[in-house]
Amino acid sequence: MKLASTEQADFAGSVSALLRKRDPLERMRHAPGPRRFDAGLWSELVANGLLEPAEAGDVVTACLVAEALGRAAAPLPFLSASAAGALVVAAGGEVTGLATYGLLAEDGTWSAPALEIRDGLVHGTLPFVPDADVAEVVVAAVRAPEGRRLALVRTSDTTVDLLENLDATQPLARVVCRASPATLLPAGGDALTAAIGEARLLALALHSATLLGLATWLLDTTVEYAGQRVQFGLPIAARQAVKHRCANMLVQVESIRSMVLELADALAAGADDRALVAATTMAWTTEAAEEVAGGAFQLHGGIGFTWEHDLHHYFKRCTVGALLLGTAGHHRAQVAAALTA
C-alpha cells in the first residue's frame, strides 16, 4: 500500500480549503427539508479539477477528494458524477453536462431493470437514481436488439420523482422514461460488462472514502465536545467510559483509513484481487462508520439530536451510506464467494 504523495494531498487540501470557506451545509443547517444545491460551489469545484483525478485513473487523489467532501458532509453529486463519467467513457461515449447513473437497485447493487428501447426512444423506470434532482443526464442500461447496452437519457425528457430519504444531503429519485430520446453508447458484450464492473469498483472506493471523511469529522467533533462539556465539575472526557468510547472510535476511523488507501492503491495498480479488496473494504467501512456515528450521538447527549447541530446530517449519511452500494452482509458474501471459488 502506497501513501498519498505531497502533490495528491495538496490537491485534496485545496478542495478542503474551498469547502471550509463556502460551508456547503449552510443552506441546510437551520431547518429540515430537501437539499439546497449550491450550483455555484459545484461549478467552482469542477472548474478547479474536482472530477479530473477519477477521470485520469488517479484513484488515490479521487479518494482523498471524496474524504474531504465527506468531512464537510457536502451535499454535492461527486460520487454519482464520478461513477457516471467512468461508465460513459469506458463505454465509448463522452460526458456532457452533470451526469448520474441509473443502475442502482433496491439492494444497493447495480442490477436495476434495463429500459426498453425502440426507435431510439426508451421506456421504463429507473427506481433509485442518485442526484437526479440536479443531474442533466442519466446513464442507464437498455435492452437493445443486439444485447445489453448503456444509453444516455436527458432528465429533461423524463419524469423525476424525488423519494423520501433519511439523508437529505444525497437525494434519491425515481426516473420514469416514457418514449424518452436516448443515445446508445458503443460498448457491448464483455467490454460493457468489464466497463460496468470497473466503474462500480471506483464508486465503492469513493463511497468508502466519503464514509472515512464523515467518520473523521464525527470523531474530531466528539473529542472536542467531550473536552468542553462539564458535568459534576469535570469535563466528561475525564471519565474512563468516555475515554474508552473515543478510543474505540479512533480505532474504527484509522481502520477505515487503512482499508480505503489499500483499495485505492489496488484500483490504481489494476491488481488482480481488486474486487476482493473492494468487497472487504465495504464490508468493514460501512459498519465501522455506523459505529462511529452511534458513539458520537451517545457522547453528545441531547445536543446531538437538535437541528442546530450538524451531527444529525453526518449520522444520517452514515446510516444511509451503509446501504447505498450494498449492505455489509452483501459484501461479506462476495468475500466468501471469492475465497471459496
Side-chain angles (χ1 to χ4, degrees):
M1 177 182 68
K2 294 189 299 183
L3 299 178
S5 67
T6 301
E7 182 179 2
Q8 290 169 323
D10 286 347
F11 182 84
S14 68
V15 173
S16 295
L18 182 55
L19 292 171
R20 286 193 298 270
K21 178 182 177 181
R22 296 289 294 272
D23 190 7
L25 276 180
E26 174 61 27
R27 297 184 177 198
M28 303 180 65
R29 182 164 287 126
H30 303 297
R35 167 173 69 181
R36 280 78 162 175
F37 179 61
D38 189 341
L41 173 59
W42 174 252
S43 297
E44 187 173 355
L45 286 166
V46 171
N48 288 334
L50 183 76
L51 300 176
E52 291 176 8
E55 293 170 354
D58 184 358
V59 187
V60 173
T61 302
C63 284
L64 292 176
V65 169
E67 180 186 351
L69 292 166
R71 189 187 288 261
L76 299 172
F78 175 71
L79 174 57
S80 56
S82 298
L87 282 168
V88 173
V89 172
E94 183 177 349
V95 180
T96 56
L98 177 52
T100 185
Y101 62 96
L103 306 181
L104 200 59
E106 184 177 5
D107 61 356
T109 61
W110 283 16
S111 57
L115 302 174
E116 297 286 348
I117 184 166
R118 298 188 294 273
D119 300 323
L121 303 177
V122 292
H123 309 258
T125 299
L126 304 172
F128 301 99
V129 182
D131 301 305
D133 59 325
V134 298
E136 299 166 83
V137 179
V138 179
V139 186
V142 298
R143 284 190 292 271
E146 61 272 29
R148 189 171 187 242
R149 300 276 287 278
L150 291 180
L152 303 180
V153 185
R154 300 198 68 80
T155 52
S156 58
D157 295 322
T158 68
T159 300
V160 178
D161 298 321
L162 281 179
L163 303 172
E164 289 191 20
N165 188 25
L166 178 66
D167 175 21
T169 67
Q170 298 285 270
L172 291 170
R174 179 185 300 108
V175 175
V176 182
C177 302
R178 299 184 181 91
S180 304
T183 302
L184 277 181
L185 299 179
D190 292 341
L192 176 60
T193 301
I196 293 174
E198 291 302 316
R200 185 170 183 273
L201 290 179
L202 173 64
L204 294 177
L206 297 182
H207 184 45
S208 296
T210 303
L211 292 172
L212 170 61
L214 295 166
T216 301
W217 183 93
L218 287 163
L219 171 64
D220 292 346
T221 302
T222 302
V223 170
E224 180 181 7
Y225 179 78
Q228 297 172 346
R229 177 74 169 97
V230 175
Q231 286 184 335
F232 306 108
L234 288 174
I236 63 171
R239 312 297 178 187
Q240 195 75 357
V242 173
K243 292 178 181 180
H244 285 178
R245 191 65 191 266
C246 288
N248 288 338
M249 291 167 65
L250 174 62
V251 170
Q252 301 277 30
V253 169
E254 292 309 312
S255 297
I256 296 172
R257 189 181 311 281
S258 296
M259 301 193 80
V260 168
L261 287 173
E262 182 71 27
L263 175 55
D265 190 35
L267 294 185
D272 292 340
D273 64 345
R274 58 192 181 278
L276 173 60
V277 175
T280 305
T281 299
M282 285 296 295
W284 173 262
T285 58
T286 52
E287 291 188 337
E290 278 194 295
E291 191 73 24
V292 172
F297 245 144
Q298 182 185 41
L299 295 180
H300 272 80
I303 189 66
F305 289 83
T306 64
W307 282 108
E308 288 77 9
H309 201 290
D310 288 346
L311 196 153
H312 71 96
H313 288 299
Y314 289 81
F315 180 88
K316 292 170 183 175
R317 193 145 173 188
C318 287
T319 302
V320 174
L323 307 173
L324 183 62
L325 294 179
T327 65
H330 166 78
H331 291 291
R332 281 194 291 268
Q334 298 297 306
V335 173
L339 294 178
T340 57

